[in-house]
């Protein structure tokens, strides 16, 4: 039996998971031998994510973080997906039984939970090792999720185009911009949403990168502002070319979304444990039109669920302020205890 204080620590680890716009769309109910995971419809994104696909993926990532935290404490978790057909917000039940001594891998993944964070800044010009990518593929495959590196030039060109097209569509949609701004936080003590200090201040279109990150302040940016020309004699900036991987599933229902979220959680912790970081490039997956075109342009057998940019973080300048950290809701706001029954 797990005590309430132990469940609180497990759920605190689970809530360290990333979520779309840091909405943290989860609720937990803990009993002595079981943890229930629910989607919180009050934290929906009706414009960006009307089907709740991305929020279910976020919940799946939180679920996997909880499973990892339990394993490091010597508990074995048996996950039941979508246990109540009459209640679509009930995403999973986790039944726990005593396990053996945690392995070194169990402990390493659990230790990575507190260190994992999304990095949208440019990465170091270091190649991601092939053997690490293969380990990520194996980790994702355990959850019925495939992981495809975008390496061929024609695949990269197609994917970059679709991301740019989707970003253009989003920036032209007032409802999207209003929803996005509603989750942008200027208060550094905010417990949810995206802190403005955690997103690059410059226009992503001007960044020396072949991959366009989401522009969180697009609604506040002067679209036609005059930009002074740079020094024509200066060498061209180094173009960031991170590793990019696409994750997907054969199906495209809530069970598939939940499993892909669990796979994402495992992949992110593996990356963190290896000293790498990641950030999502999901604009092309936000819109059904560009998501469908990605399926055809990349000849995918299955449905794309997550696109990740990954690499080694650059060392901060000696006098640089610490990076902004996305807040987390108090455990008491997302966890309720119930007696065994």
């Amino acid at each position: 039996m797990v005590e309430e204080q132990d469940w609180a620590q497990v759920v605190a680890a689970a809530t360290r998971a990333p979520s779309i716009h840091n909405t943290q769309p989860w609720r937990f109910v803990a009993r002595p031998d079981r943890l229930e995971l629910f989607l919180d419809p009050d934290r929906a994104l009706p414009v960006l994510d009307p089907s709740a696909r991305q929020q279910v993926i976020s919940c799946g990532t939180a679920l996997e973080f909880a499973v990892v935290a339990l394993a490091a404490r010597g508990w074995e978790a048996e996950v039941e997906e979508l246990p109540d057909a009459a209640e679509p917000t009930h995403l999973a039940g986790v039944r726990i039984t005593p396990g053996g001594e945690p392995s070194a891998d169990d402990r390493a993944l659990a230790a990575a939970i507190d260190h994992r964070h999304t990095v949208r800044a440019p990465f170091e010009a270091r190649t991601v090792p092939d053997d690490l990518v293969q380990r990520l593929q194996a980790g994702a495959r355990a959850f019925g999720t495939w992981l495809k590196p975008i390496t061929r030039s024609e695949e990269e060109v197609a994917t970059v185009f679709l991301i740019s097209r989707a970003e253009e569509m989003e920036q032209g949609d007032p409802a999207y911009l209003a929803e996005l701004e509603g989750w942008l936080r200027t208060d550094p003590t905010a417990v949810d949403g995206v802190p403005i200090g955690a997103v690059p201040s410059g226009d992503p279109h001007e960044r020396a990168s072949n991959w366009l990150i989401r522009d969180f302040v697009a609604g506040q940016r002067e679209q036609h502002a005059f930009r002074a020309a740079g020094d024509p004699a200066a060498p061209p900036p180094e173009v960031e070319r991170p590793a990019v991987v696409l994750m997907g599933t054969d199906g495209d229902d809530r069970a598939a979304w939940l499993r892909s979220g669990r796979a994402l959680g495992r992949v992110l912790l593996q990356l963190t444990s290896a000293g790498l970081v990641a950030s999502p490039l999901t604009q092309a997956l936000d819109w059904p039109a560009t998501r469908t075109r990605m399926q055809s342009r990349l000849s995918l057998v299955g449905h794309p669920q997550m696109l990740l940019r990954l690499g080694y973080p650059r060392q901060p300048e000696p006098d640089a302020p610490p990076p902004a950290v996305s807040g987390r809701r108090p455990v008491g706001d997302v966890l309720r205890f119930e007696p065994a029954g």
Side-chain angles (χ1 to χ4, degrees):
M1 300 293 178
V2 179
E3 301 292 335
E4 289 189 4
Q5 62 198 37
D6 295 316
W7 273 133
Q9 293 176 357
V10 169
V11 170
T15 62
R16 297 304 308 165
S19 56
I20 179 70
H21 291 2
N22 195 27
T23 49
Q24 303 170 53
W26 41 64
R27 294 186 294 108
F28 296 89
V29 176
R31 300 185 180 93
D33 63 344
R34 190 174 172 92
L35 183 68
E36 310 291 346
L37 169 65
F38 294 83
L39 175 69
D40 187 346
D42 291 338
R43 307 184 75 78
L45 295 170
V47 178
L48 179 67
D49 190 27
S51 68
R53 180 184 67 85
Q54 296 192 63
Q55 292 201 306
V56 171
I57 289 174
S58 301
C59 288
T61 305
L63 172 61
E64 187 59 18
F65 278 25
V67 170
V68 167
L70 285 165
R73 289 168 169 77
W75 293 96
E76 184 173 335
E78 179 183 340
V79 176
E80 180 184 4
E81 299 172 351
L82 306 178
D84 186 355
E87 178 48 78
T89 65
H90 192 178
L91 298 180
V94 182
R95 187 172 67 87
I96 56 101
T97 55
E101 182 68 19
S103 67
D105 187 50
D106 291 333
R107 297 185 189 278
L109 290 178
I113 290 176
D114 285 339
H115 298 289
R116 185 224 61 84
H117 60 287
T118 299
V119 174
R120 299 178 179 88
F123 299 149
E124 286 187 0
R126 293 174 58 187
T127 301
V128 177
D130 289 340
D131 63 332
L132 175 58
V133 175
Q134 291 169 4
R135 293 201 303 273
L136 300 181
Q137 289 176 313
R141 199 159 42 241
F143 300 96
T145 300
W146 43 262
L147 185 149
K148 171 185 173 61
I150 305 297
T151 54
R152 294 166 52 193
S153 60
E154 61 268 28
E155 292 177 337
E156 180 177 319
V157 168
T159 307
V160 166
F161 169 77
L162 290 172
I163 290 174
S164 299
R165 176 66 182 128
E167 180 75 17
E168 181 183 2
M169 293 166 60
E170 289 178 336
Q171 291 189 20
D173 184 345
Y176 163 82
L177 293 175
E179 184 176 81
L180 179 66
E181 189 165 348
W183 287 97
L184 198 63
R185 302 290 185 253
T186 56
D187 180 359
T189 65
V191 299
D192 61 6
V194 179
I196 197 165
V199 298
S201 57
D203 188 334
H205 290 88
E206 298 180 352
R207 181 167 164 168
S209 178
N210 53 334
W211 296 97
L212 185 64
I213 63 171
R214 190 186 298 275
D215 190 354
F216 281 88
V217 295
Q220 305 170 13
R221 201 182 299 285
E222 292 186 37
Q223 298 299 320
H224 303 290
F226 172 78
R227 299 183 179 96
D231 181 358
E238 181 181 15
V239 176
E240 181 205 31
R241 293 191 175 275
V244 173
V245 298
L246 180 65
M247 301 177 65
T249 51
D250 293 340
D252 198 31
D253 54 12
R254 282 205 167 191
W257 303 340
L258 188 69
R259 286 193 294 271
S260 68
R262 293 191 64 190
L264 174 62
R266 181 65 55 145
V267 163
L268 291 175
L269 294 182
Q270 288 177 307
L271 281 172
T272 303
S273 185
L276 283 79
V277 292
S279 63
L281 294 166
T282 52
Q283 301 98 309
L285 305 183
D286 295 342
W287 300 89
T290 50
R291 187 171 177 237
T292 300
R293 286 188 68 185
M294 182 176 288
Q295 282 180 282
S296 61
R297 292 289 295 272
L298 301 187
S299 301
L300 299 176
V301 180
H303 303 269
Q305 305 292 357
M306 175 59 62
L307 190 67
L308 280 181
R309 161 186 166 269
L310 47 100
Y312 292 92
R314 290 184 179 177
Q315 294 301 313
E317 297 295 331
D319 56 349
V325 177
S326 298
R328 289 297 184 272
R329 300 163 68 194
V331 170
D333 288 357
V334 300
L335 173 62
R336 187 177 83 247
F337 296 104
E338 290 186 354

